[in-house]
């Protein structure tokens, strides 16, 4: 009889805050062709010839500001999700990271060692992007074909518009939202504009006008549309005036055109436009990490206050909230049941 298991996959993190460990992590991360999608030689020149000469030291200092006694917040929180999920499902649950350790291969191996032959793999990203969901699936398939050819894997698809997720996210935001706020900013991780077009097999995407349409063939592959859809559904659920909400995109790298508007530029200017009390949430992430705890909660706050803001409130990710664990459980059980239909 086939035995089932669950593998939760998140982005990953350096092993420590040492410059060498951060450099090793960034090398693996940025050399992924779905993160920086240049030809290998140009990617290597950029990453290994330029970025890794200076960025690791700066990033190491940033990691030090968020590192906990237990280690990287992203790894710690993912383990907490695993532990809580294991208590409410009757199949083995392991974790893997797309970059660094514990790897996807190590996670699959742990499940195989427990007799698992059918795996539900959950990329912990609400929206679909080439540099998140797609690269996780491609890596898992590469590992499976090479080392575990008899193992079956069911992949959980992006859940950016699922009612159970939207309800969970909206309730979490509502509980943490200050009573007096001028605006709620939804800051999503950015991607280069060309990624949006490269991931659209329908060739119907036009960033100038189709994201706001009710329906378009490209929407199931369009990260930008999915971010705006998540935002709109949460706004509707919370019954917020649209004029009190902002959507922006953070963490851009290099000089290429990324999807706009940019979070940092927005934070630097909205204070002068009368927004003095700001709350920020980051729904591209389910676990707090460097991009939320340092880039938004620390750097973002400084940018907002320097630009004339007065009160800045960061709303944490879902992390290991019980309501989020219930959503993870439901999404995993749907895919576990799919094995019976094959």
């Amino acid at each position: 009889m086939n035995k089932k298991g669950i593998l939760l996959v998140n982005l990953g993190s350096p092993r420590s805050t040492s410059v060498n460990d951060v450099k090793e992590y960034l090398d693996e991360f940025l050399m992924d062709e779905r993160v920086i999608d240049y030809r290998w030689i140009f990617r290597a020149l950029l990453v290994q010839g330029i970025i890794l000469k200076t960025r690791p030291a700066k990033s190491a200092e940033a990691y030090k500001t968020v590192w906990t006694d237990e280690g990287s917040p992203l790894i710690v929180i993912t383990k907490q999700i695993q532990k809580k999920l294991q208590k409410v499902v009757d199949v083995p649950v392991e974790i893997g990271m797309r970059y660094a350790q514990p790897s996807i291969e190590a996670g699959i191996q742990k499940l195989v060692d427990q007799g698992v032959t059918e795996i539900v793999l959950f990329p912990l990203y609400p929206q679909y992007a080439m540099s998140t969901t797609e690269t996780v699936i491609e890596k898992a398939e590469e590992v499976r074909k090479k080392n575990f050819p008899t193992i079956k894997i069911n992949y959980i698809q992006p859940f950016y518009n699922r009612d159970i997720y939207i309800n969970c996210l909206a309730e979490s935001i509502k509980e943490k939202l200050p009573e007096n706020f001028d605006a709620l900013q939804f800051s999503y991780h950015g991607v280069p504009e060309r990624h949006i077009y490269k991931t659209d097999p329908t060739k119907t995407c036009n960033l100038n006008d189709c994201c706001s349409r009710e329906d378009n063939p490209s929407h199931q592959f369009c990260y930008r549309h999915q971010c705006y859809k998540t935002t709109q559904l949460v706004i509707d659920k919370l019954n917020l005036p649209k004029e009190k909400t902002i959507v922006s995109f953070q963490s851009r790298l290099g000089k290429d055109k990324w999807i706009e508007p940019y979070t940092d530029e927005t934070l630097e200017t909205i204070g002068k436009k009368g927004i003095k009390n700001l709350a920020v949430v980051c729904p591209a992430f389910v676990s707090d990490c460097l991009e939320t705890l340092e880039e938004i909660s620390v750097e973002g706050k400084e940018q907002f206050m320097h630009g004339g803001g007065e009160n800045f409130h960061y709303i944490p990710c879902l992390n290991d909230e019980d309501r989020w664990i219930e959503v993870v459980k439901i999404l995993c059980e749907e895919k576990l049941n799919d094995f019976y239909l094959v």
Side-chain angles (χ1 to χ4, degrees), residues 180-184 274-279 304 309-313:
N180 299 312
F181 68 98
D182 299 323
L184 172 61
I275 295 175
K276 302 300 182 182
N277 303 293
L278 179 69
F304 176 65
E310 295 177 2
N311 295 296
F312 180 97
H313 182 79

Side-chain angles (χ1 to χ4, degrees), residues 96-319:
M97 299 292 148
R98 174 59 184 88
Y99 311 104
Q101 299 299 321
S103 66
I104 290 174
E105 181 177 352
I108 294 176
Q109 187 64 62
K110 281 190 173 183
L111 290 171
V112 169
D113 291 344
Q114 297 172 72
V116 169
T117 57
E118 297 176 339
I119 296 171
V120 167
L121 190 150
F122 193 166
L124 292 169
Y125 307 103
Q127 300 85 20
Y128 176 90
M130 185 168 83
S131 55
T132 56
T133 310
E134 183 176 308
T135 190
V136 165
I137 293 174
E138 290 297 321
K139 181 65 175 182
E141 280 300 301
E142 175 189 314
V143 168
R144 183 190 66 80
K145 291 174 181 177
K146 181 179 178 181
N147 300 315
F148 310 98
T150 63
I151 297 296
K152 294 180 180 178
I153 301 180
N154 262 353
Y155 296 95
I156 293 180
Q157 300 303 309
F159 48 94
Y160 68 98
N161 60 348
R162 292 287 303 269
D163 286 343
I164 53 172
Y165 167 67
I166 296 299
N167 290 338
C168 172
L169 180 58
E171 288 170 7
S172 182
I173 292 172
K174 185 178 181 180
E175 286 184 3
K176 301 161 189 171
L177 196 60
E179 284 189 20
N180 299 312
F181 68 98
D182 299 323
L184 172 61
Q185 183 165 347
F186 293 76
S187 179
Y188 295 87
H189 199 290
V191 299
E193 283 191 351
R194 66 177 180 275
H195 282 202
I196 303 295
Y197 292 112
K198 289 182 81 166
T199 56
D200 174 25
T202 71
K203 304 304 177 187
T204 62
C205 179
N206 184 334
L207 285 173
N208 293 323
D209 70 355
C210 75
C211 280
S212 60
R213 292 180 195 165
E214 184 62 29
D215 191 29
N216 199 69
S218 65
H219 285 174
Q220 63 179 309
F221 308 103
C222 181
Y223 175 72
R224 184 172 181 268
H225 161 77
Q226 293 181 12
C227 292
Y228 276 102
K229 187 66 175 181
T230 297
T231 304
Q232 187 58 56
L233 291 171
V234 170
I235 290 173
D236 292 345
K237 186 65 65 173
L238 294 176
N239 197 27
L240 292 175
K242 192 166 186 179
E243 61 270 18
K244 290 191 71 170
T245 61
I246 301 166
V247 177
S248 62
F249 299 89
Q250 65 185 81
S251 310
R252 69 186 187 278
L253 176 68
K255 297 181 180 180
D256 292 326
K257 181 74 176 295
W258 285 46
I259 52 178
E260 296 178 314
Y262 300 140
T263 293
D264 55 354
E265 292 182 358
T266 303
L267 290 169
E268 290 167 358
T269 58
I270 57 176
K272 295 182 178 68
K273 298 176 181 178
I275 295 175
K276 302 300 182 182
N277 303 293
L278 179 69
V280 182
V281 65
C282 299
F285 306 92
V286 298
S287 311
D288 274 311
C289 55
L290 185 70
E291 286 80 2
T292 64
L293 298 174
E294 197 274 338
E295 184 180 352
I296 297 300
S297 191
V298 177
E299 287 188 17
K301 180 179 180 179
E302 291 177 357
Q303 291 161 346
F304 176 65
M305 302 298 275
H306 183 72
E310 295 177 2
N311 295 296
F312 180 97
H313 182 79
Y314 170 65
I315 296 175
C317 294
L318 294 170
N319 293 326

Side-chain angles (χ1 to χ4, degrees), residues 56-90:
K58 182 180 178 181
S59 294
E61 290 302 311
Y63 273 110
K64 288 176 183 177
T65 67
V66 303
W67 214 257
T68 71
D69 292 341
E70 293 81 20
S72 161
L74 182 141
I75 303 291
V76 171
I77 292 167
T78 307
K79 287 180 178 178
Q80 291 168 343
I81 295 171
Q82 173 200 13
K83 185 176 180 180
K84 282 193 170 184
L85 182 64
Q86 187 65 83
K87 291 180 178 178
V88 295
V89 298
D90 57 3

